[in-house]
Amino acid sequence: TMVVGLVLSTIWVQKFRDRPYLHEKLYLPSGKFVKELSLSYREVVADVLWMQAIQYYGDFRKGNHDLRYFRGLIDLVTTLDPHFSFAYQFGALVISEDAGALEEGMDLLKLGMARNPQSWQLPFEVGFLNYVNGGDRQVAARYFELASKMPGAPESTERFAAFVYSKAGNRESSMRLWEEYLEHTDNPHLKELAERYIEKLKRSEPQ
């Protein structure tokens, strides 16, 4: 059963990921369907699909296609492994920043919070994306504070909340938050995203 699940999941996703003109909801198998297929090997199948999602995003960064299948891949991964916190975190960053769909990214994070109520990273990400995209700073600060009270949360979450409550301008604050984000993440995918958006903000700085 595990072999069948792995092979079919890989074949399905590989077939669809190279066809950017198709719509993900029509051609990607649903998470529920793959979940039933994979039975007790759901996390293993989720790992295979996660690698496909990372490769798919890498191909997007090379300019090979758009991101229309990315959310479908993340849906599959998080349905099979609902406690894979990083899939929500990275998925929401890509959906919000690269695909320009902030509300969709927020919805993904809030789904992750409901499934992983002890994860400080998810409310932190809600606060972060809310603020750097020009949202309500009071809401952003409250999410940072919520994150700071979670088990294992670093002290930097409290600093983020304090900084958001400050009077700094939006572009300046966004730059500071991305720089803090870059400093405190060890994940190479998140580092690459942070570096890219810091450069974007620098290019937009008035001369």
Side-chain angles (χ1 to χ4, degrees), residues 64-141:
N64 294 337
H65 52 67
D66 60 23
L67 283 171
R68 70 182 63 195
Y69 293 120
F70 184 78
R71 177 58 194 265
L73 288 166
I74 295 298
D75 282 344
L76 287 172
V77 171
T78 54
T79 298
L80 288 164
D81 188 357
H83 303 302
F84 185 11
S85 179
F86 183 67
Y88 301 98
Q89 185 183 1
F90 181 70
L93 272 173
V94 171
I95 290 167
S96 299
E97 301 299 318
D98 288 296
L102 177 61
E103 289 305 315
E104 193 174 344
M106 291 291 191
D107 288 344
L108 178 61
L109 287 169
K110 290 173 183 178
L111 174 64
M113 287 175 62
R115 292 173 172 175
N116 301 275
Q118 297 301 308
S119 171
W120 68 265
Q121 292 92 342
L122 297 174
F124 175 87
E125 207 70 47
V126 173
F128 182 83
L129 288 177
N130 183 76
Y131 187 76
V132 299
N133 285 283
D136 187 320
R137 74 172 59 196
Q138 297 295 322
V139 172

Side-chain angles (χ1 to χ4, degrees), residues 97 102 127-138 140 144 163-179 197 201-202 204-206:
E97 301 299 318
L102 177 61
F128 182 83
L129 288 177
N130 183 76
Y131 187 76
V132 299
N133 285 283
D136 187 320
R137 74 172 59 196
Q138 297 295 322
F144 285 140
F163 186 74
V164 169
Y165 278 128
S166 75
K167 301 294 184 180
N170 186 61
R171 198 202 66 81
E172 177 188 346
S173 297
S174 295
M175 177 77 78
R176 177 76 173 272
L177 290 179
W178 276 116
E179 288 172 343
Y197 281 96
L201 284 168
K202 286 180 178 178
S204 68
E205 184 175 7

Side-chain angles (χ1 to χ4, degrees), residues 23-67:
H23 190 281
E24 65 181 68
K25 297 301 182 185
L26 296 177
Y27 293 93
L28 279 177
S30 70
K32 181 179 180 181
F33 183 72
V34 177
K35 189 174 184 178
E36 292 302 319
L37 172 71
S38 57
L39 300 176
S40 59
Y41 303 101
R42 291 168 185 168
E43 291 184 5
V44 178
V45 178
D47 288 343
V48 172
L49 292 169
W50 173 246
M51 295 307 297
Q52 291 287 336
I54 293 299
Q55 184 179 349
Y56 182 78
Y57 178 69
D59 288 344
F60 160 76
R61 294 288 300 128
K62 294 174 184 177
N64 294 337
H65 52 67
D66 60 23
L67 283 171

